[in-house]
Amino acid sequence: MRPDQATTAETQSATTTVTDRDAAVDPNRETTTVTVRCTGHVRDAVGTHELEFTFEGDQLRDFLESFFEVYDLEAMLIAETEADATHSGWAPVPDDLPGTWRKNPEGEQTRPYARVCINGRFNEHLGGFEAGLDDGDRVALIYPFMFCC
């Protein structure tokens, strides 16, 4: 099989999974359809870099719950505790940080290096998991490959 055929087969598989799930969506509830873009480890797990996904509701929280039912990525992306969301880092953090620094509450944070973006903006700047989503929005699930020397 040629590499381009494998990519097509993977894309069809991902599309089929979403289509099968879409049939189970309750037609009496409001649904939202977004374009999901996947990078790094997320792309490997999903099998494609982009797909459309329909879910019940209109918030990022609704999307993530539905997406994680189809793709078992919650443990990869979402931190359960503050310790899971924090990397030790190399530089000490100053006591008085400039500007306004706000984190999502515990349980609504991503793991170190993993990010969720809506239309190119980090979800923390849009209301966290309560951020609203509209049809046609782009949700990026980012967990880059990290290499060392």
Side-chain angles (χ1 to χ4, degrees):
M1 182 178 335
R2 295 185 330 228
D4 61 326
Q5 290 174 325
T7 303
T8 302
E10 290 170 354
T11 303
Q12 289 172 344
S13 174
T15 304
T16 302
T17 302
V18 174
T19 303
D20 292 345
R21 189 193 155 282
D22 287 346
V25 171
D26 182 355
N28 297 324
R29 290 200 55 201
E30 179 183 335
T31 61
T32 305
T33 301
V34 296
T35 300
V36 182
R37 296 195 175 153
C38 309
T39 67
H41 296 289
V42 178
R43 180 180 180 165
D44 279 356
V46 171
T48 186
H49 72 283
E50 185 175 290
L51 61 113
E52 283 195 347
F53 192 83
T54 300
F55 61 96
E56 294 176 357
D58 62 356
Q59 292 183 324
L60 181 59
R61 176 182 313 284
D62 302 325
F63 162 76
L64 291 171
E65 289 172 359
S66 294
F67 195 79
F68 293 153
E69 286 177 13
V70 177
Y71 301 99
D72 188 24
L73 298 174
E74 185 170 9
M76 178 191 294
L77 295 172
I78 305 302
E80 293 295 321
T81 66
E82 183 73 29
D84 292 341
T86 306
H87 188 274
S88 60
W90 294 319
V93 177
D95 291 331
D96 188 23
L97 295 170
T100 303
W101 291 74
R102 185 181 83 69
K103 290 181 76 172
N104 286 334
E106 190 167 302
E108 295 188 17
Q109 299 173 9
T110 56
R111 293 192 172 275
Y113 310 113
R115 300 307 299 250
V116 177
C117 296
I118 301 170
N119 297 324
R121 297 190 62 202
F122 294 132
N123 72 308
E124 295 91 2
H125 302 295
L126 300 171
F129 287 2
E130 303 303 319
L133 293 173
D134 295 317
D135 284 331
D137 279 351
R138 295 179 325 272
V139 177
L141 302 175
I142 303 166
Y143 193 168
F145 296 115
M146 301 295 288
F147 297 101
C148 182
C149 312

